[in-house]
């Protein structure tokens, strides 16, 4: 068995027919028939010849044929092949560029307000739902406190040296008492002062192991569940989601899948984890359908790009979610441009 890619297995005729099917489907959202293609191809072919080529592409796993239609549409594998090997990426239009630039032109001191405007502009321009993962707050910590709100609800309060305060709601380990919460807070405060969250995160695990005898078991569990919370579990306040309503502008057949996606976006479940995947690599990444667990049920795609701070460290990400028939060639450069612009603006704020 050889290791050629499906693209290498195609001749020029198959490649053109495949490209036309994908481009027409991304434009219309409808399966593409052989008669439609015969009018668009550069080589004059009969509808029967085009049908035979489409059948071959279907056998290769690159096209699907819906039961209700004689036409073909790209499979998930076909979309991935097109995106990776054939897609022509547009430049960002002057109109789109101006809309993005305008959101960052207002010198608002609050980064959250700024990135909220960016997220709103992205959803408007792309007609998808937009995601923006804000930078972690990296000022030194002044104080940490656990507050019980009931048997199964607690708050961790983080006060930073620059006056910034973060409150995160979480479910504490079973059996927590006011005294174990005080002990956990004292334990953290003894080592937290002057450290950023990421510095503290690396330090705590070692300290718990070294001082296991001193620290009550309940307090140790609480410290570790607090750590998990800071690592992005729960509904992370760093995540801004805008434009969910844009996802409803689709065929009725997709509505059940869209509702699942709505629920995911509402809970923000797993999304931070996916955006943090983007923090591990440079440039735009595209996840299609079941290539990621979040969107496998929703028939959706995510285009995401990280952005960097003044030290060239990746600190957040911006992305767009939409149906798998997104206009990738247009949206990829928009997401890339936005991420680079956000990085430049945030870098300029650091003295």
């Amino acid at each position: 068995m050889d290791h050629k890619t499906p693209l290498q297995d195609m001749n020029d005729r198959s490649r053109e027919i495949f490209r036309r099917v994908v481009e027409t489907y991304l434009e219309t959202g409808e399966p593409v028939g052989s008669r439609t293609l015969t009018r668009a191809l550069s080589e004059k072919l009969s509808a029967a010849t085009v049908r035979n080529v489409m059948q071959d592409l279907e056998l290769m796993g690159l096209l699907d044929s819906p039961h209700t239609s004689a036409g073909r549409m790209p499979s998930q594998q076909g979309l991935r092949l097109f995106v990776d090997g054939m897609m022509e990426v547009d430049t960002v239009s002057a109109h789109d560029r101006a809309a993005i630039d305008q959101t960052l032109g207002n010198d608002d001191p609050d980064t959250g307000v700024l990135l909220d405007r960016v997220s709103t502009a992205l959803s408007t321009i792309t007609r998808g739902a937009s995601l923006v993962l804000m930078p972690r707050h990296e000022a030194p910590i002044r104080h940490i406190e656990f507050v019980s709100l009931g048997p199964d609800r607690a708050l961790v309060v983080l006060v930073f040296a620059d006056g910034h305060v973060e409150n995160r709601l979480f479910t504490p380990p079973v059996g927590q008492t006011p005294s174990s919460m005080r002990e956990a807070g004292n334990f953290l405060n003894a080592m937290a002062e002057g450290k950023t969250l990421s510095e503290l995160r690396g330090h705590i695990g070692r300290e718990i192991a070294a001082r296991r005898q001193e620290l009550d078991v309940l307090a140790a569990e609480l410290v570790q569940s607090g750590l998990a919370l800071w690592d992005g579990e729960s509904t992370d306040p760093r995540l801004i989601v805008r434009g969910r309503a844009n996802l409803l502008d689709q065929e009725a057949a997709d509505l059940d899948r869209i509702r699942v996606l709505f629920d995911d976006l509402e809970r923000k479940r797993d999304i931070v984890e996916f955006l943090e995947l983007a923090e591990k690599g440079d440039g735009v990444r595209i996840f299609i359908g079941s290539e990621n667990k979040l969107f496998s049920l929703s028939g959706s795609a995510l285009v995401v790009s990280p952005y960097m701070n003044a030290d060239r460290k990746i600190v957040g990400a911006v992305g767009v979610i939409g149906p798998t028939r997104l206009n990738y060639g247009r949206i990829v450069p928009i997401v890339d441009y936005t991420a680079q612009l956000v990085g430049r603006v945030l870098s300029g704020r650091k003295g």
Side-chain angles (χ1 to χ4, degrees):
M1 185 169 172
D2 64 31
H3 294 286
K4 287 202 298 186
T5 66
L7 212 51
Q8 291 168 320
D9 279 337
M10 289 189 232
N11 57 27
D12 289 345
R13 175 184 290 175
S14 299
R15 201 174 277 127
E16 185 184 4
I17 288 173
F18 173 69
R19 183 171 58 78
R20 295 277 186 183
V21 170
V22 177
E23 288 177 345
T24 305
Y25 170 74
L26 291 180
E27 189 180 323
T28 66
E30 300 291 334
V32 184
S34 51
R35 292 189 189 285
T36 304
L37 286 177
T38 54
R39 294 193 290 271
L41 294 171
S42 53
E43 182 186 358
K44 290 300 168 204
L45 298 172
S46 69
T49 302
V50 172
R51 266 197 304 277
N52 287 337
V53 173
M54 289 166 82
Q55 282 169 355
D56 290 342
L57 292 168
E58 190 172 355
L59 288 172
M60 291 169 71
L62 300 178
L63 298 183
D64 284 333
S65 52
H67 299 303
T68 53
S69 164
R72 302 293 198 288
M73 56 194 280
S75 64
Q76 182 179 307
Q77 181 187 346
L79 276 176
R80 171 51 64 189
L81 181 74
F82 174 80
V83 163
D84 288 346
M86 302 179 79
M87 179 175 72
E88 294 177 9
V89 176
D90 301 335
T91 55
V92 183
S93 72
H95 179 267
D96 290 341
R97 192 181 292 254
I100 298 163
D101 290 350
Q102 189 177 5
T103 65
L104 297 170
N106 186 338
D107 193 24
D108 196 297
D110 187 326
T111 299
V113 172
L114 176 88
L115 293 179
D116 193 298
R117 281 205 307 270
V118 170
S119 194
T120 300
L122 254 187
S123 69
T124 302
I125 292 166
T126 61
R127 296 190 293 281
S130 65
L131 306 173
V132 175
L133 187 64
M134 292 170 57
R136 293 185 194 276
H137 201 78
E138 287 295 280
I141 297 163
R142 180 183 295 156
H143 183 73
I144 298 174
E145 188 173 346
F146 292 98
V147 180
S148 176
L149 300 176
D152 58 352
R153 291 175 76 222
L155 204 62
V156 57
V157 182
L158 302 171
V159 182
F160 295 86
D162 62 358
H164 178 79
V165 178
E166 282 188 24
N167 301 313
R168 302 207 187 177
L169 193 65
F170 72 109
T171 304
V174 177
Q176 289 299 326
T177 64
S179 71
S180 66
M181 289 200 167
R182 270 197 307 277
E183 187 181 353
N186 292 339
F187 173 79
L188 285 170
N189 285 315
M191 69 182 82
E193 194 171 355
K195 291 185 177 68
T196 64
L197 259 183
S198 51
E199 289 166 346
L200 180 62
R201 208 177 282 116
H203 193 57
I204 284 177
R206 294 190 298 273
E207 282 293 311
I208 288 178
R211 295 165 57 182
R212 178 67 70 184
Q213 289 75 23
E214 304 171 36
L215 194 61
D216 177 88
V217 174
L218 284 175
E221 287 179 359
L222 189 62
V223 168
Q224 286 172 325
S225 65
L227 266 185
L229 186 74
W230 298 326
D231 275 335
E233 291 185 5
S234 187
T235 42
D236 196 303
R238 294 173 61 209
L239 185 66
I240 302 169
V241 181
R242 294 289 175 267
R244 293 202 252 307
N246 292 338
L247 298 173
L248 292 175
D249 297 335
Q250 295 186 56
E251 298 79 6
D254 286 337
L255 282 181
D256 283 343
R257 293 188 311 206
I258 293 303
R259 283 193 195 98
V260 172
L261 180 57
F262 254 60
D263 290 345
D264 285 340
L265 291 175
E266 199 60 49
R267 287 192 297 271
K268 303 178 181 177
R269 187 186 67 202
D270 298 336
I271 296 178
V272 171
E273 182 186 325
F274 276 108
L275 292 187
E276 286 178 344
L277 278 177
E279 294 182 1
K280 295 178 173 64
D282 202 0
V284 180
R285 296 183 67 178
I286 301 169
F287 298 97
I288 300 172
S290 61
E291 289 174 357
N292 58 60
K293 62 187 178 187
L294 177 64
F295 303 120
S296 60
L297 292 175
S298 63
S300 298
L302 168 65
V303 179
V304 61
S305 180
Y307 60 84
M308 299 182 182
N309 63 10
D311 302 322
R312 303 295 295 161
K313 180 187 170 197
I314 292 172
V315 292
V318 299
V320 171
I321 297 173
T324 52
R325 62 178 191 85
L326 278 177
N327 183 344
Y328 297 97
R330 175 173 175 260
I331 287 174
V332 165
I334 288 173
V335 169
D336 186 39
Y337 178 75
T338 305
Q340 291 186 40
L341 194 61
V342 167
R344 283 201 301 275
V345 169
L346 295 187
S347 297
R349 292 173 164 221
K350 297 289 180 188

